[in-house]
């Protein structure tokens, strides 16, 4: 597919979600949602956690969202800029967006292009840390041409310009509310971070971090008959099993997210007749990150920073052996069923971008893993069953969030790793803390105060440019960025950074795909990430809840404005 065809085709892929059967705004009472991982902030720029991004998506919005099929849908924007309509410059060095007329914030003040300019300044401030900064890679300026016109300019030609302000991870925040929250002050702005003023269908009435959010309909929302629900209770905490039961057995909640459970258990619950399991595959991968820095607490402020490389996990032979020892098919069987597939890539989709170079990991090879470690000089010199080299023992702390499926995975992986001579200590952390953005907590996944850690991540939209930029050297979290950043395992390669730059100015799907596969393979060959499962994203909704359109390309609750209560 030629670049021009890609950009012209964007205009055609703007089908809106179907209109719901609602009568008037707020007529359907209260909507109860449970995310058993409780949000710690409602500012997605201060957390890379899905729970923060998705809960905030009810309140603050981007110019464009991606629908359930991965198509771009104008949201705050009047249309999708293309070469054909003149919104994308012929030299591909700028894109110009037009806001829909008449949109106001929930406080009644107008949304203007100046808010987009401020959002860019906020996320790219040199003294701050922004969890979503990769969406602004290559952006040289954001200008307010007039109140409704936003011009985003790029340092180089940008063949895929739909990154900044596109998708749930790159929304627009209100300049007036966040004016005093730039740079290092960003995490200190509790009122703004917990109660953002938005353009979305709901607004916050109370936020209790790591617990519950109460919201009410936005009286200034741009669609007069939406949302159907007057209030929302967004409950966090507990576990996936309890969340599933609350929808499909007790009927206490209308929607439950991320039901990472034994598939047979979900089938049993669904048979009760109160709720329905819905699932979507996009780019979610359950993976193990292999820390390239030393998490030893004796290092003080230098702990888990690039100044202190890991004493042994920088040797790719160890990560390779760890990967070879894992039986991914068994992990799918016990924890995912039809909701998972084994994968050897951190980027499994869309299909055009999926590499086949790493498929050897699909077959467990314990003896081969032992041979790899032997060849690299890691042997058991004192007969205690733990391999060592130059006085260093292969002993790792393996952490993840508290979740039954993840703990089952941990137990199996520990068994396999110890079989090849790697001592493994297991740790699980409450998901609300692990995926929180508190720079003062030692237990967040960004801090990574362990040797290896496991979780799932994905990206919004269908083009992986911003996602693959997550592993730039500059994206490594640290004290200087309030521990924000997407390069969690601290991988750093000048060659990889150069490919990020090359991708940003390469035209044509085939050429872009070749670069993306090369980047994926480079990450895989570093063994700083060990992919496990390409995950479908199972959730459940009450049979009395209409309008749900399961989506793994954007926020799962992307079209909550269209949800309604089914009578009867």
């Amino acid at each position: 597919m030629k670049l021009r065809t890609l950009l012209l085709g964007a205009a055609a892929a703007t089908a809106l979600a179907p209109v719901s059967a609602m009568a008037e705004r707020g007529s359907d009472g209260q909507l109860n949602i449970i995310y058993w991982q409780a949000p710690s902030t409602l500012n997605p720029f201060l957390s890379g956690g899905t729970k923060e991004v998705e809960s905030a998506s009810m309140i603050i919005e981007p110019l464009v969202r991606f629908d359930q099929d991965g198509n771009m849908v104008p949201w705050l924007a009047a249309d999708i800029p293309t070469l054909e309509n003149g919104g994308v410059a012929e030299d591909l060095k700028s894109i110009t967006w037009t806001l829909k007329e008449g949109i106001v914030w929930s406080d009644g003040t107008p949304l203007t292009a100046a808010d987009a300019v401020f959002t860019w300044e906020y996320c790219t401030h040199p003294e701050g840390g922004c969890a979503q900064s990769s969406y602004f890679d290559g952006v040289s300026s954001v200008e307010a041409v007039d109140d409704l016109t936003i011009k985003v300019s790029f340092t180089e030609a940008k063949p895929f310009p739909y990154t900044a302000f596109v998708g749930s991870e790159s929304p627009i925040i209100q300049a007036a509310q966040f004016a005093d929250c730039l740079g290092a002050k960003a995490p200190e702005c509790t009122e703004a971070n917990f109660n953002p003023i938005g353009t979305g269908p709901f607004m916050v009435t109370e936020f209790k971090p790591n617990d519950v959010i109460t919201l009410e309909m936005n009286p200034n929302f741009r669609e007069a008959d939406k949302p159907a629900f007057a209030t929302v209770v967004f409950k966090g905490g507990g576990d996936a099993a309890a969340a599933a039961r609350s929808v499909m057995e007790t009927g206490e909640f209308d929607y439950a997210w991320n039901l990472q459970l034994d598939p047979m258990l979900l089938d049993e619950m669904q048979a009760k007749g109160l709720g329905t399991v819905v699932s979507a595959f996009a780019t979610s991968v359950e993976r193990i990150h292999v820390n390239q820095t030393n998490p030893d607490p004796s290092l003080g402020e230098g702990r888990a920073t690039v100044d202190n490389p890991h004493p042994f996990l920088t040797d790719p032979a160890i990560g390779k052996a760890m990967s070879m020892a894992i039986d991914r098919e068994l992990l799918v069987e016990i924890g995912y069923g039809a909701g998972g597939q084994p994968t050897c890539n951190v980027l499994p989709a869309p299909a055009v971008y999926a590499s086949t170079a790493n498929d050897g990991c699909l077959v467990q090879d314990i003896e081969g893993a032992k041979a790899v470690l032997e060849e690299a000089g890691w042997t058991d010199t004192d007969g205690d069953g733990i391999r060592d080299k130059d006085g260093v023992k292969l002993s790792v702390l393996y952490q993840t969030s508290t979740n039954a499926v993840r703990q089952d995975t941990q137990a199996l992986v520990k068994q396999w790793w110890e079989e090849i001579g790697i001592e493994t200590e297991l740790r699980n952390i409450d998901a609300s803390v692990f995926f929180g953005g508190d720079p003062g907590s030692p237990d967040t996944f960004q801090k990574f105060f362990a040797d290896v850690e496991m979780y799932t991540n994905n990206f919004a939209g269908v083009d992986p440019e911003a996602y693959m930029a997550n592993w730039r050297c500059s994206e490594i979290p640290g004290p200087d960025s309030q521990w924000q950043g997407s390069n969690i395992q601290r991988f750093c390669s000048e060659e990889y950074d150069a490919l990020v730059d090359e991708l940003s100015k390469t035209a044509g799907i085939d050429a872009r795909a070749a670069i993306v596969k090369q980047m994926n393979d480079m990450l895989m060959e570093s063994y700083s990430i060990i992919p496990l499962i390409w995950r479908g994203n199972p959730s459940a909704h009450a049979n009395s809840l209409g309008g749900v359109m399961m989506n793994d390309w954007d926020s799962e609750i992307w079209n909550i404005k269209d949800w309604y209560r089914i009578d009867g």
Side-chain angles (χ1 to χ4, degrees), residues 272-288:
K272 305 287 186 182
L274 290 180
T276 300
V277 177
V278 288
S279 186
F281 276 88
T283 59
S284 295
V285 172
E286 183 87 353
R287 81 284 296 273
I288 293 173

Side-chain angles (χ1 to χ4, degrees), residues 486-507:
S486 52
N487 189 342
I488 301 302
Q489 77 273 23
R490 285 70 158 148
F491 165 85
C492 184
S493 162
E494 291 183 3
E495 183 182 356
Y496 188 91
D497 281 7
L499 288 174
V500 174
D501 295 335
E502 184 180 351
L503 179 63
S504 72
K505 52 192 176 186
T506 296

Side-chain angles (χ1 to χ4, degrees), residues 544-561:
S544 63
L545 182 61
V548 175
M549 303 182 74
M550 186 62 175
N551 187 346
D552 208 27
W553 299 109
D554 203 287
S555 167
E556 188 170 309
I557 53 177
W558 68 289
N559 73 325
I560 195 170
K561 68 183 179 68

Side-chain angles (χ1 to χ4, degrees), residues 6 15 72 80 98 144 150 242 251 266 294 416 457 465 475 505 534 559 567:
L6 177 66
M72 287 186 287
I80 306 291
T98 302
I150 305 159
L266 286 177
N294 193 343
W416 294 324
N457 205 356
E465 182 178 321
E475 287 293 318
K505 52 192 176 186
W534 180 19
N559 73 325
D567 294 333

Side-chain angles (χ1 to χ4, degrees), residues 33-38 51 54 234-237 257 556-557:
I33 298 174
I34 185 164
Y35 272 45
W36 54 272
Q37 294 177 10
K51 58 193 173 64
E54 299 209 352
F234 190 104
K235 176 66 177 153
W257 163 86
E556 188 170 309
I557 53 177

Side-chain angles (χ1 to χ4, degrees), residues 85-96:
N85 65 26
V88 175
E90 285 290 332
D91 63 3
L92 306 180
K93 295 187 73 172
S94 68
I95 183 170
T96 301

Side-chain angles (χ1 to χ4, degrees), residues 66-137:
F66 294 91
D67 71 10
Q68 71 278 8
D69 297 317
N71 299 314
M72 287 186 287
V73 180
W75 219 250
L76 298 178
D79 56 21
I80 306 291
T82 65
L83 285 168
E84 184 180 53
N85 65 26
V88 175
E90 285 290 332
D91 63 3
L92 306 180
K93 295 187 73 172
S94 68
I95 183 170
T96 301
W97 297 91
T98 302
L99 293 170
K100 292 176 180 175
E101 294 187 8
I103 298 180
V104 297
W105 296 96
S106 59
D107 65 0
T109 60
L111 167 72
T112 72
D115 292 301
V117 174
F118 175 83
T119 301
W120 169 64
E121 293 171 344
Y122 177 93
C123 196
T124 59
H125 194 284
E127 296 176 6
C130 178
Q132 316 297 346
S133 61
S134 63
Y135 284 86
F136 297 97
D137 272 3

